[in-house]
């Protein structure tokens, strides 16, 4: 007589993240069935990391599904794209209505939208879940952002909230339901975009301390550690201090031996593309992506450095202590802008796709376990708890006051960087956005006139109240027909 199924969940994909999530689930009392397309990886895992645990190894998808309690829960941690679709195609014939497939990789949210609809037609509940925190987070408590078919949530909630990071006195899990279809993967995408921005901002602070102030790596590490005790308390600030202090075997800083050419896996680019599609000015995150693109042109930059001139960099000659404080303020103010833009984008996506997003809840999910975890996110949660309809973080009393407090230092840093020829694209784009956002009038009236002049695209007047459009014959020999009246 066959034994009754015993596994609470199956996980496909035994790379670093997959193995650590399985071990995390096992630690919390869940029986996990592990499977990998390359079966030898299952054997290796079972004979090593999973030895002596409740984990079950499966050598085929059929065997894996046979171990699962109903409703069957299958989580994939495989490469985004074709591999996800291939596994779904193989799984569907083995599952029944009401069973659940979870994609825990970095899939594009549009793919998740499509998969949700496709599988709903077959009675399968699909979940696209962002998982952040890297190897350590996966093992001991990641941030988890599930979205998709909401009927699946009650069946996966006990597992996901148990294994996620916990924050606050109430030990709140950094995991909650995000929204329908691709909402979970969209929020993870924005998380990754903000991660790009945070990393670039810290790099610009490092560059200024090194190239404008001539500080040693130990001095910079100590400054970062000090910053990490205050408003800038964050995982990325913490690890940056460790990196700056790290010495190679010859006693010199390892950091200066690393090639200054940064790679990327695409989620930052996706965030920028989505912002362009929705007309959201995601300037800082987009600039951070372009900064990586520019860094990758290493050979061309070396050639350009021998041909192009700039101002002499004799360093900053003012009071070092004051300038270090100004850099801290520029970093903090720019970070506020980055998150404000990220939440703007999520609001636009929620409107576009008819998602109901809990912005305070998202801030809580990012408060622990993930790469952008920081003290600062608690203030964001408070802002949205106070006003769930808050249009922009900069309009919250706390953040408005924080920006005002940092503004002079922020402007000083950017002006000095320009004079010294030190590139600070993320600091600069953040300030430009802030100045544009706080302007009641921008020079876009001239753009409207230019468009009407060369293309008869029409314009609106300030005192128009009913959406009326106008066209002017600017040259005296143009026509009366505007582009909006063409009906070819």
């Amino acid at each position: 007589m066959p034994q009754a199924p015993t596994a609470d969940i199956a996980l496909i994909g035994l790379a670093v993240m997959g193995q650590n999530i399985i071990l995390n689930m096992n630690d919390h009392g869940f029986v996990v069935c592990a499977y990998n397309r390359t079966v030898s990886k299952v054997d290796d895992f079972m004979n090593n990391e999973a030895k002596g645990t409740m984990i079950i190894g499966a050598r085929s998808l059929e065997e894996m599904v046979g171990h699962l309690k109903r409703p069957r829960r299958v989580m994939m941690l495989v490469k985004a794209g074709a591999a996800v679709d291939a596994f779904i195609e193989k799984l569907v014939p083995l599952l029944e209505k009401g069973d659940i497939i979870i994609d825990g990789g970095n899939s594009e949210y549009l793919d998740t939208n499509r998969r949700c609809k496709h599988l709903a037609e077959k009675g399968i509940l699909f979940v696209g879940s962002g998982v952040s925190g890297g190897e350590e987070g996966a093992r001991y408590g990641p941030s988890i952002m599930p979205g998709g078919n909401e009927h699946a949530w009650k069946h996966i909630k006990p597992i996901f909230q148990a294994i996620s990071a916990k924050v606050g006195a109430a030990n709140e899990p950094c995991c909650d339901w995000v929204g329908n279809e691709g909402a979970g993967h969209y929020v993870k995408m924005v998380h990754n975009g903000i991660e790009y921005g945070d990393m670039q901002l810290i790099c610009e602070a490092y560059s200024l301390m090194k190239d404008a102030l001539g500080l040693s790596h130990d001095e910079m590490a100590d400054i970062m550690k000090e910053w990490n005790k205050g408003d800038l308390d964050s995982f990325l600030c913490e690890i940056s201090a460790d990196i700056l202090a790290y010495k190679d075997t010859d006693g010199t800083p390892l950091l200066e031996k690393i090639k200054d050419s940064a790679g990327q896996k695409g989620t930052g680019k996706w965030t920028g593309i989505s912002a362009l599609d929705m007309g959201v000015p995601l300037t800082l995150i987009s600039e951070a992506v372009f900064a990586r693109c520019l860094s990758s042109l290493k050979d061309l930059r070396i050639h350009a450095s021998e041909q192009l001139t700039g101002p002499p960099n004799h360093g900053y000659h003012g009071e070092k202590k004051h300038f270090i404080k100004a850099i801290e303020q520029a970093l903090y103010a720019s970070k506020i802008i980055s998150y404000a833009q990220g939440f703007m984008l999520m609001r636009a996506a929620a409107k576009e796709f008819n998602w109901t997003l809990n912005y305070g809840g998202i801030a809580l999910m990012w408060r622990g376990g993930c790469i952008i975890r920081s003290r600062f996110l608690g203030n964001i949660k408070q802002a949205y708890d106070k006003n769930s309809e808050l249009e922009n973080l900069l309009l919250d009393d706390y953040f408005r006051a924080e920006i005002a407090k940092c503004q002079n230092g922020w402007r000083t840093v950017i002006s000095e960087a320009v004079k010294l020829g030190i590139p600070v694209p993320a600091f600069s784009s953040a300030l430009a956005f802030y100045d544009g956002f706080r302007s009641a009038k921008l020079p876009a009236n001239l753009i409207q006139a230019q468009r009407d002049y060369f293309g008869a695209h029409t314009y609106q007047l300030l005192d128009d109240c009913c959406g009326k459009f106008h066209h002017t014959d600017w040259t005296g020999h143009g026509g009366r027909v505007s582009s909006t009246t063409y009906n070819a």
Side-chain angles (χ1 to χ4, degrees):
M1 183 175 178
Q3 289 186 329
T6 55
D8 299 297
I9 190 169
L11 195 143
I12 298 172
L14 292 179
V16 172
M17 287 291 286
Q19 289 193 20
N20 281 298
I21 287 280
I22 290 171
L23 293 169
N24 187 349
M25 290 176 177
N26 178 79
D27 288 347
H28 286 85
F30 299 104
V31 178
V32 188
C33 184
Y35 174 76
N36 196 86
R37 185 175 58 180
T38 305
V39 176
S40 60
K41 287 192 174 183
V42 178
D43 296 334
D44 290 343
F45 180 55
M46 295 305 299
N47 291 328
N48 292 283
E49 293 85 358
K51 192 172 183 178
T53 69
M54 300 184 294
I55 298 165
I56 302 167
R59 301 178 65 82
S60 69
L61 289 175
E62 290 81 1
E63 182 188 349
M64 179 195 78
V65 169
H67 282 297
L68 290 171
K69 300 174 186 175
R70 287 177 170 80
R72 301 179 182 97
R73 291 164 285 200
V74 180
M75 184 172 183
M76 298 179 290
L77 277 168
V78 299
K79 188 176 180 180
V84 176
D85 286 320
F87 271 114
I88 288 173
E89 190 176 333
K90 291 175 183 175
L91 282 168
V92 167
L94 306 176
L95 301 178
E96 298 173 352
K97 286 186 177 181
D99 287 344
I100 301 158
I101 298 175
I102 306 156
D103 174 15
N106 270 335
S107 289
E108 191 171 7
Y109 74 96
L110 292 172
D111 284 339
T112 307
N113 285 351
R114 169 178 57 81
R115 289 166 185 150
C116 272
K117 291 172 184 172
H118 171 67
L119 288 172
E121 293 170 359
K122 299 178 181 299
I124 306 294
L125 311 181
F126 187 74
V127 172
S129 182
V131 180
S132 178
E135 180 179 351
E136 183 179 351
R139 182 66 184 86
Y140 300 108
S143 170
I144 309 177
M145 298 152 256
N149 193 318
E150 195 166 5
H151 295 295
W153 178 228
K154 65 181 179 182
H155 300 294
I156 63 173
K157 179 179 179 179
I159 301 175
F160 277 23
Q161 291 196 336
I163 69 169
S164 70
K166 310 295 187 298
V167 294
N171 222 25
E172 294 178 273
C174 294
C175 170
D176 205 350
W177 188 252
V178 176
N180 295 335
E181 297 184 336
H185 275 140
Y186 194 93
V187 168
K188 175 56 163 57
M189 178 192 76
V190 175
H191 163 284
N192 285 22
I194 291 172
E195 179 184 308
Y196 274 59
D198 276 0
M199 293 170 75
Q200 177 63 27
L201 290 170
I202 291 171
C203 287
E204 291 177 17
Y206 149 71
S207 177
L208 286 162
M209 289 191 286
K210 179 169 67 77
D211 298 330
L213 296 177
L215 299 182
S216 70
H217 285 71
D218 287 337
E219 288 174 317
M220 290 187 282
D222 288 341
I223 289 166
M224 287 271 190
K225 286 175 185 174
E226 195 61 32
W227 288 352
N228 203 46
K229 295 175 184 177
D231 292 326
L232 290 170
D233 173 13
S234 67
F235 173 71
L236 286 169
C237 202
E238 176 188 332
I239 68 169
S240 298
D242 291 344
I243 292 166
L244 284 161
Y246 194 89
K247 302 295 188 295
D248 200 359
T249 51
D250 61 1
T252 61
L254 175 60
L255 180 59
E256 297 312 314
K257 299 178 182 179
I258 297 174
K259 187 176 181 180
D260 55 318
S261 179
Q264 53 182 307
K265 289 191 173 180
T267 46
K269 178 182 73 175
W270 292 350
T271 312
I273 291 170
S274 180
L276 287 168
D277 286 341
M278 296 190 192
V280 176
L282 199 81
T283 55
L284 191 152
I285 292 170
S286 299
E287 196 61 63
V289 175
F290 288 131
R292 291 198 191 187
C293 295
L294 182 59
S295 79
S296 70
L297 305 177
K298 177 66 173 175
D299 293 340
L300 183 56
R301 286 190 291 112
I302 291 172
H303 179 63
S305 72
E306 298 164 350
Q307 306 290 323
L308 304 178
T309 61
N313 182 0
H314 298 306
Y316 178 74
H317 295 298
E319 175 60 51
K320 280 189 177 182
K321 182 173 68 175
H322 293 156
F323 196 61
I324 291 168
K325 183 62 179 177
I327 296 171
E328 179 185 9
Q329 290 175 331
L331 179 55
Y332 183 43
S334 299
K335 186 180 172 87
I336 291 172
I337 298 297
S338 181
Y339 284 70
Q341 291 182 354
F343 277 83
M344 281 175 68
L345 181 58
M346 288 189 289
R347 281 183 66 88
K351 186 176 180 180
E352 174 74 17
F353 297 107
N354 198 28
W355 296 335
T356 301
L357 301 183
N358 178 351
Y359 303 106
I362 291 167
L364 175 65
M365 280 185 258
W366 293 348
R367 182 70 179 81
C370 66
I371 304 303
I372 65 170
R373 61 185 181 265
S374 64
R375 176 193 300 182
F376 168 91
L377 282 155
N379 303 115
I380 295 178
K381 184 178 187 303
Q382 288 172 9
Y384 283 108
D385 285 349
K386 187 168 60 177
N387 179 9
S388 62
E389 300 301 316
L390 182 67
E391 288 188 278
N392 192 288
L393 275 177
L394 298 178
L395 302 178
D396 174 72
D397 291 343
Y398 175 81
F399 288 107
R400 184 167 63 245
E402 293 297 283
I403 286 280
K405 181 178 73 177
C406 296
Q407 193 171 156
N408 287 341
W410 191 14
R411 295 182 187 279
T412 296
V413 163
I414 292 170
S415 59
E416 290 297 330
V418 170
K419 286 191 283 186
L420 294 171
I422 298 172
V424 285
F427 281 170
S428 301
S429 68
L431 182 58
F433 171 85
Y434 176 74
D435 284 338
F437 188 67
R438 67 180 185 84
S439 296
K441 189 169 184 179
L442 291 169
N445 52 331
L446 179 55
I447 294 174
Q448 292 293 73
Q450 289 168 336
R451 293 179 74 243
D452 189 55
Y453 188 110
F454 66 68
H457 292 292
T458 74
Y459 55 85
Q460 289 179 284
L461 295 172
L462 286 170
D463 56 4
D464 282 340
C465 62
C466 303
K468 187 178 180 181
F469 288 86
H470 304 267
H471 169 57
T472 292
D473 179 4
W474 298 92
T475 63
H477 51 76
R480 292 182 298 105
V481 179
S482 68
S483 63
T484 57
T485 61
Y486 293 160
N487 188 18

